[in-house]
Amino acid sequence: MTTPQQNAQNARLEQIKRSWQQKRQIGERLGKIKTKIGVYSGKGGVGKTTVAVNLAVTLAKEGARVGILDVDIDCPNVTNVLAATARPDYVDGEIIPAEQWGVKVVSMAYFQENQEEAIIWRGPMIHNAINQFLQNTEWDELDYLVVDLPPGTSDSPLTVMQTLPMDGFVVVSTPQDLAVLDAKRCINMIRKLNLNVVGVVENYTGDIFGQGGGRDLAEEVDAPYLGNMALRSSYRNNTMPTVLADEEVREEYSDIAAELRRSLREFGREAA
């Protein structure tokens, strides 16, 4: 007859075994992906998803094989910014990503009947949803998987960081002091988990919100500064990613993509 202590120990060992098997399955599933990049911010509203989508489309237009995974489970907006019309397929229990503008995409938005309905889930349900995406999606061969993370430093981004073997993170800030402070918290979280900050970008640069906060942050925390994106009216065009509609935006993201590749090389994480 086993004791309560033995039962508890057996339960812990079983949990460790399941966790190890899960990570092995995820590693095998993502084995054909060369570089996995998280796009991350300390707060919502700084343009994290806009950066993730336009960066992914830029890399694809430059000839890379690119996927984007939207794991912002509460507020999945990648499909809206991408103006995605295609939907994923399901074959023998596997998710076959949709493709738009040359980018493969998987998002929680595809599993909502009504995008205006709130997803009110506790941590374990979010954790399970993220794991389902990671374990059951057939990405095939990719040069880059861009992962749009949930904002903040709580359970959801922590789940992604501990589950998905990421090569590095791009941290998005705007010029204002509070946004910079929240971005610094993100950077501290990434580094506490012994992961790489491959760059900081500043969004909404211009007369309205100012400029320079992202560059100052990068210098303060000794992280690469990838560049900035100006606040432009062309972002109001919701029929396609802005890099496809505005030459100036396209040039900004092309420069950022070049700096990202340089940073990845310095970390030994270059995709191609």
Side-chain angles (χ1 to χ4, degrees):
M1 183 175 185
T2 58
T3 66
Q5 291 83 357
Q6 289 172 324
N7 287 334
Q9 184 178 22
N10 290 337
R12 285 194 297 270
L13 290 173
E14 188 61 30
Q15 177 59 40
I16 292 171
K17 181 180 178 181
R18 285 197 300 268
S19 178
W20 181 85
Q21 290 174 336
Q22 188 177 72
K23 287 186 176 182
R24 185 190 65 182
Q25 291 170 354
I26 291 172
E28 292 173 352
R29 177 63 74 179
L30 303 178
K32 297 179 181 179
I33 301 172
K34 294 180 179 178
T35 303
K36 295 168 283 293
I37 303 165
V39 179
Y40 187 31
S41 67
K43 63 193 306 179
V46 300
K48 169 182 58 65
T49 299
T50 299
V51 171
V53 168
N54 283 284
L55 178 60
V57 172
T58 298
L59 291 168
K61 291 303 178 184
E62 292 177 351
R65 297 166 297 180
V66 182
I68 186 165
L69 173 61
D70 184 359
V71 289
D72 191 345
I73 302 298
D74 295 342
C75 297
N77 292 319
V78 159
T79 56
N80 291 327
V81 179
L82 197 61
T85 56
R87 298 189 63 84
D89 290 327
Y90 307 93
V91 179
D92 296 329
E94 291 187 345
I95 302 171
I96 309 300
E99 187 166 336
Q100 191 80 31
W101 315 111
V103 176
K104 294 183 177 182
V105 56
V106 169
S107 171
M108 185 66 192
Y110 288 124
F111 300 90
Q112 286 182 281
E113 292 185 6
N114 178 3
Q115 69 172 351
E116 296 179 1
E117 185 177 350
I119 299 175
I120 307 173
W121 286 1
R122 294 189 183 274
M125 293 183 67
I126 293 174
H127 178 86
N128 288 336
I130 292 171
N131 281 327
Q132 287 294 315
F133 283 148
L134 296 177
Q135 289 178 274
N136 296 337
T137 302
E138 180 50 69
W139 294 102
D140 204 4
E141 294 185 357
L142 295 178
D143 295 307
Y144 298 95
L145 178 65
V146 177
V147 182
D148 183 26
L149 278 84
T153 58
S154 59
D155 187 56
S156 294
L158 179 62
T159 294
V160 178
M161 292 181 190
Q162 291 182 328
T163 306
L164 177 58
M166 208 82 70
D167 293 289
F169 293 83
V170 173
V171 175
V172 181
S173 181
T174 55
Q176 306 100 307
D177 289 343
L178 286 179
V180 170
L181 174 60
D182 288 337
K184 189 184 299 182
R185 289 169 174 154
C186 287
I187 291 170
N188 289 335
M189 177 176 178
I190 293 166
R191 288 178 169 169
K192 281 183 179 179
L193 294 171
N194 296 316
L195 299 170
N196 300 321
V197 178
V198 294
V200 174
V201 297
E202 180 181 288
N203 201 18
Y204 301 164
T205 300
D207 293 338
I208 295 176
F209 294 114
Q211 61 183 0
R215 183 184 294 276
D216 292 343
L217 171 63
E219 291 178 357
E220 181 180 347
V221 301
D222 191 25
Y225 181 63
L226 304 183
N228 62 270
M229 296 77 71
L231 182 63
R232 304 179 191 277
S233 60
S234 55
Y235 283 101
R236 291 156 56 187
N237 180 350
N238 59 8
T239 63
M240 65 182 67
T242 315
V243 291
L244 300 178
D246 187 312
E247 178 65 30
E248 291 179 309
V249 174
R250 184 156 52 249
E251 290 176 359
E252 287 174 343
Y253 274 92
S254 180
D255 291 342
I256 287 169
E259 290 298 320
L260 173 62
R261 287 190 291 268
R262 183 178 296 113
S263 179
L264 287 167
R265 284 196 299 270
E266 292 178 356
F267 280 98
R269 302 284 187 167
E270 188 179 18

